[in-house]
C-alpha cells in the first residue's frame, strides 16, 4: 500500500517568484536605507559619538552597513564584498555617496546586485565573476 502523504513536486515557477521577491525586497531595503541617510543628513542631527551630521558628511559607512546588516544580512554581506573588492582593485575606498549611487542607479549597479545575490546563495564562482567585473571610477587605479 503506497504511503498516503506525498510531497508536492518542486515548482520552478514558485522558486523563480521567490527569487524575484527576494531581489525586490533587498532593493526596497537598500532604497529605504538611502532615504534614511538622506533624512539624517538633511536634518543635521547630532550624535554624541560622531557630532553633527552635515550635507557633505553622510551617515558613516560603518553605520550604514550595520543598519543594513540588521535589515538584510545578505545585502550587507554582498555590499561588504563589493567594498573590499573595490578597495583591492582600485586602490581606494568607495565613499558613502558612491555606494548610495551604486545601490540606487537604475535598480542598482548590476555588479553590486549580482554580488549580493551570489553572496546570499553562497555561490563562490558567481561571486568571483562579479568581482572581476568591478570597474574603478575616477580617482582609482586598476
Amino acid at each position: 500500500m503506497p504511503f498516503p502523504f506525498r510531497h508536492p513536486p518542486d515548482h520552478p515557477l514558485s522558486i523563480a517568484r521567490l527569487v524575484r521577491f527576494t531581489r525586490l525586497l533587498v532593493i526596497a531595503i537598500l532604497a529605504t536605507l538611502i532615504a534614511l541617510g538622506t533624512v539624517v543628513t538633511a536634518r543635521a542631527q547630532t550624535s554624541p559619538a560622531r557630532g553633527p551630521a552635515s550635507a557633505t558628511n553622510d551617515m558613516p559607512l560603518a553605520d550604514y552597513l550595520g543598519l543594513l546588516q540588521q535589515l538584510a544580512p545578505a545585502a550587507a554581506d554582498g555590499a561588504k564584498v563589493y567594498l573590499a573588492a573595490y578597495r583591492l582593485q582600485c586602490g581606494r575606498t568607495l565613499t558613502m555617496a558612491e555606494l548610495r549611487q551604486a545601490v540606487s542607479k537604475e535598480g542598482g549597479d548590476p555588479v553590486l546586485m549580482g554580488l549580493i545575490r551570489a553572496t546570499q546563495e553562497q555561490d563562490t564562482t558567481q561571486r568571483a565573476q562579479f568581482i572581476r567585473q568591478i570597474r574603478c571610477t575616477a580617482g582609482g587605479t586598476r
Side-chain angles (χ1 to χ4, degrees):
M1 173 176 199
F3 192 68
F5 300 106
R6 291 180 25 176
H7 291 288
D10 290 339
H11 294 287
L13 185 57
S14 304
I15 294 170
R17 285 183 181 168
L18 180 61
V19 168
R20 263 184 283 158
F21 174 75
T22 303
R23 286 184 198 161
L24 290 173
L25 182 63
V26 167
I27 290 171
I29 290 169
L30 292 173
T32 301
L33 288 173
I34 290 168
L36 177 63
T38 303
V39 168
V40 169
T41 301
R43 288 185 175 175
Q45 294 178 341
T46 60
S47 164
R50 303 214 195 304
S54 69
T56 58
N57 185 19
D58 265 337
M59 173 190 290
L61 192 56
D63 290 352
Y64 180 83
L65 291 173
L67 186 56
L68 186 57
Q69 184 70 41
Q70 292 176 6
L71 297 173
D77 294 343
K80 289 174 188 174
V81 170
Y82 182 80
L83 290 167
Y86 189 93
R87 184 174 49 249
L88 286 172
Q89 290 186 25
C90 302
R92 70 180 188 90
T93 303
L94 280 177
T95 65
M96 182 64 198
E98 290 170 319
L99 180 60
R100 283 178 42 190
Q101 181 181 4
V103 168
S104 64
K105 71 175 183 182
E106 300 173 9
D109 177 357
V111 175
L112 174 58
M113 295 300 130
L115 271 173
I116 290 170
R117 192 171 43 256
T119 301
Q120 178 183 17
E121 296 170 356
Q122 298 179 347
D123 186 339
T124 55
T125 303
Q126 280 290 319
R127 191 171 64 199
Q129 289 175 352
F130 282 113
I131 287 172
R132 284 192 295 273
Q133 294 177 31
I134 291 175
R135 299 291 173 242
C136 300
T137 56
T141 58
R142 185 149 200 179

